[in-house]
Amino acid sequence: MYTKTILKQILAVSVLSITTIPAIAQHYFSDAQKSEWLKKAQENTPELFYTTIKPEIQVDIVADKQSFQGYKAVNPRKAEGLYSESFKGKSGIVLDLGDHYTGYFTFRVEEFQSDSDAPIRLKFTFAEVPAELRIPFDPYKGTISRAWLQDEVVTIEQLPATIKIPRRLSCRYLQIDILGDSQYAQYRISDMKFVAQTSAKGSPAPLSTSDKLLREIDKVSQKTLRECMQTVFEDGPKRDHRLWIGDLYLQMLADNYTFQNRALAKRCLYILAGLCKDDGYLNHTIFETPVPHPQVVPILLYEYALIYNATLNDYLQETHDTQTASDLWPVAKRQIEKIPSLLDKDGLFDPEKANKQGLWQLVDWQESLDRQASEQGIYIFALEQTYQLAKTLGKEKEVAHVPALIKQMKKGAMKLYDKQKGVFVSGKDRQVSYASQTWMVLAKVVGKEQGREILSRVFADAKAVKPGSPYLYHYVIQAMVDTGMGQEAKKAVKNYWGGMVQKGADTFWEVYDPDNDFISPYQFAPINSYCHAWSCTPIYFIRKYPEIFQK
C-alpha cells in the first residue's frame, strides 16, 4: 500500500517510464518457462490448518488515556444468555475471541418465542485493536480504500438462517449492532463461530531465557508470523492479503527458526518468478486470486527485486535445495543487470537515473527520508548475496564481473562518508539517517569496528532521521548484531517491539512510533494493519542469537 508521498513518486516515475523506456520486442523469459515455474508454485501450495473459536467472552471498550489510541477492553465476563436468550435489545455488545485470529465468521439466527414479521438487519464490526471499535470510520479520510475496514451489514429475511460473512477477516474483537428488526418479534443468535486458518503447523520450542518481556515478544512475533502464513507469506491478513518480496524475505528468516514451512517458501519463490515482468524483472507484489497475477503498475520497485536474490540465497543456505535454486538462478542473475545503468562514473547510485528508468525507491515508510545512501547499500548487499548464491551453485563464472562492481560501488559509497561527522550522509542536503548507516554497515562498506562507531554516533544524534516502521528496524537490529552491539540490540528490541507488547499488542503492527499512537501511512489509524509480516522478526533474532537474547 502507498502513502501520499509514495503515490506522487509512483505517478512521476510512471509518466517517465511510459515516455522514456523503449518497448520490449519479446519476453525475457519464455511463456513456457514461466508456466513451469507457476506449475511448481502450485505443486507447493501448503495445507491450511483450521481452529474453531466460539465467542463466549463479553467485554466493554472504554476510553482510557493511558491505553493505546485511548481505548482498552475491560470487564471480561461470560456472555450469559448470548445463545439461549433473545438477542433483541442487545445492540452494541462486544465479544472477545481471546487472541488474534484470521479466518471466516458464521452465525445462525432463529425465531425465539414468536414469529419475526420483519427483516433483521445486523452490523458486525471486527477489530484487531480496541480503538477500531470506537474511532468512527466515517466520514472516511484515509488515502486507501475504505472497503478494507472490517464492518459488514447483514439483512436476514427468512428465519432460521445460517450466515457466513463472505470476506476473510482478521481480528480479536467483534461488535454486533442491531440496525433494524421487528418491534414485536423475538429472535436469538443460536451459534457463532470463527474458523481460523493458517499454514503454520506446530510451535517452536520454548525459550530458555527468564526475561519475561523477551518471552512475550517471542510469543507475539510467533503469532504475527503464524497469522500471515496462509497459502503464501502474506504481508497483512486484514489488509492487502498479498505477497510482497520485502515482507517475504523477513518472514522466511523468521520461519527458519519457527515453523520451517519449506513448501510455502518454495511456492513464494516460484510464483514470483512465474509472474515476472516481460523484461524479466520481478513485480514487487502479487495476488493469488482468482488466479495468481501481479499488481500491474508501470514501475519497478527495484530494491525488492534485488532482495529476492537475498531471499533465494538464504533459502538455499538453509535448505540445501539446489534444484530450486538452480531453477531460479536465471531470475536472480537477471535482477542485478540493471545496477550499472543506475550509477554515476564513480560507482555511486544516481537517483535521477533511477527516476528516469521508472524505479520506485522505498527503503522505509518514512516521508522525510533521503534514499540515495540506503539504495547504494541495498545494491551492494544484493550483489554480495547474489555472488554467494552463484558460488554455492557453481555459477560464479556467469557473474564474474560482480566482485569488481562491488569494489567500485564500495569505493563510490565512501564519497558519502562525512569525515567530520563520522557518519554517512545522503542526497543534496547531506541528510543523516538510521537507514543510511544501517545499509552501509550491512553492505560491509566499512569494517565491524568502524560500523559500530558509526551506528553509535547516529543513535546519539537527536536530529538523525529515525525508522518509520518495523521493516527498517529489523535491518537496524541486524546491523547492530553484525557490529558486535549485541546488548544494545537486545535493549532496542525490548524498547521497540516490547513497547508494542506493553501497549497491548497481540500481533505486531505495520507501523509503530513510540511517541505517536496514531501514526499511519494512510492518514487514518484504523486502516493500519495491526498484524503485519515485516514486524515478525524479533523471533528470528531471539532464536538465532541465543547467546545475546536468551543469555
Side-chain angles (χ1 to χ4, degrees), residues 4 22 31 49 117 130 180 197 210 240 250 259 277 302 319 346 361 392 400 407 422 477 518:
K4 191 173 182 179
D31 290 343
F49 303 97
D117 62 351
Q197 65 181 50
S210 60
D240 279 18
L250 302 193
F259 308 108
K277 296 176 181 288
Y302 190 42
T319 66
D346 296 318
Q361 301 160 52
T392 306
K407 184 177 181 180
I477 300 299
F518 294 92

Side-chain angles (χ1 to χ4, degrees), residues 18-34:
I18 292 169
T19 57
T20 64
I21 297 178
I24 296 171
Q26 58 185 8
H27 294 182
Y28 188 87
F29 296 113
S30 70
D31 290 343
Q33 176 64 85
K34 292 166 73 172

